[in-house]
Amino acid sequence: MPDAEDVRRIALSLPDTAEKIAWSMPTFRVAGKMFATLPEDETSVAVRCPKEEREELVLAEPEKFWIAGHEAQFAWIRVRLAALEDEAELQDILTDSWRQAAPPRLLEHFPELGLVTET
């Protein structure tokens, strides 16, 4: 089961990422833009998620995903670390959130992180 240290290690392994304490919790930022936080007791991680996808995730896997009340108006979702299958799933979730916050120059420079190109 992934834990807070796995979140920290994976997040900081992504390009141009830094950790910064904000609201008394660790936050992870790419080029200064936040893409993940370790709220409360560090048993979950908050990540970017398009609003139109959040409801579907919560309905499909409520034991894994939920929307915190104070984040409802923002494009964020919470993920219970204990509910993740493995570290690879955490890597995918963090990388997807990183991709949503990263500037185009980083996405172009790191295509292996999943930059989707339109044909």
Side-chain angles (χ1 to χ4, degrees), residues 17-28:
T17 294
E19 181 175 350
K20 179 180 178 181
I21 300 297
W23 308 288
S24 301
M25 72 179 103
T27 67
F28 300 92

Side-chain angles (χ1 to χ4, degrees), residues 51-71:
K51 286 184 178 182
E52 57 275 6
E53 295 176 19
R54 293 185 315 173
E55 296 298 327
E56 186 176 319
L57 286 170
V58 170
L59 288 172
E61 297 183 87
E63 71 287 350
K64 188 179 295 185
F65 300 105
W66 88 97
I67 300 166
H70 66 282
E71 295 168 348

Side-chain angles (χ1 to χ4, degrees), residues 38 53 55 75 91 102 105:
L38 274 168
E53 295 176 19
E55 296 298 327
Q91 173 84 42
R105 67 174 171 77

Side-chain angles (χ1 to χ4, degrees), residues 7-8 13 17-18 21 25 31 35-37 50 55 69 71 74 79-80 91 94-95 98 103 105 111 114 119:
V7 171
R8 182 171 280 108
S13 75
T17 294
I21 300 297
M25 72 179 103
F35 71 93
T37 68
E55 296 298 327
E71 295 168 348
F74 304 107
V79 184
R80 289 178 182 88
Q91 173 84 42
L94 288 170
T95 301
W98 178 90
R105 67 174 171 77
T119 54

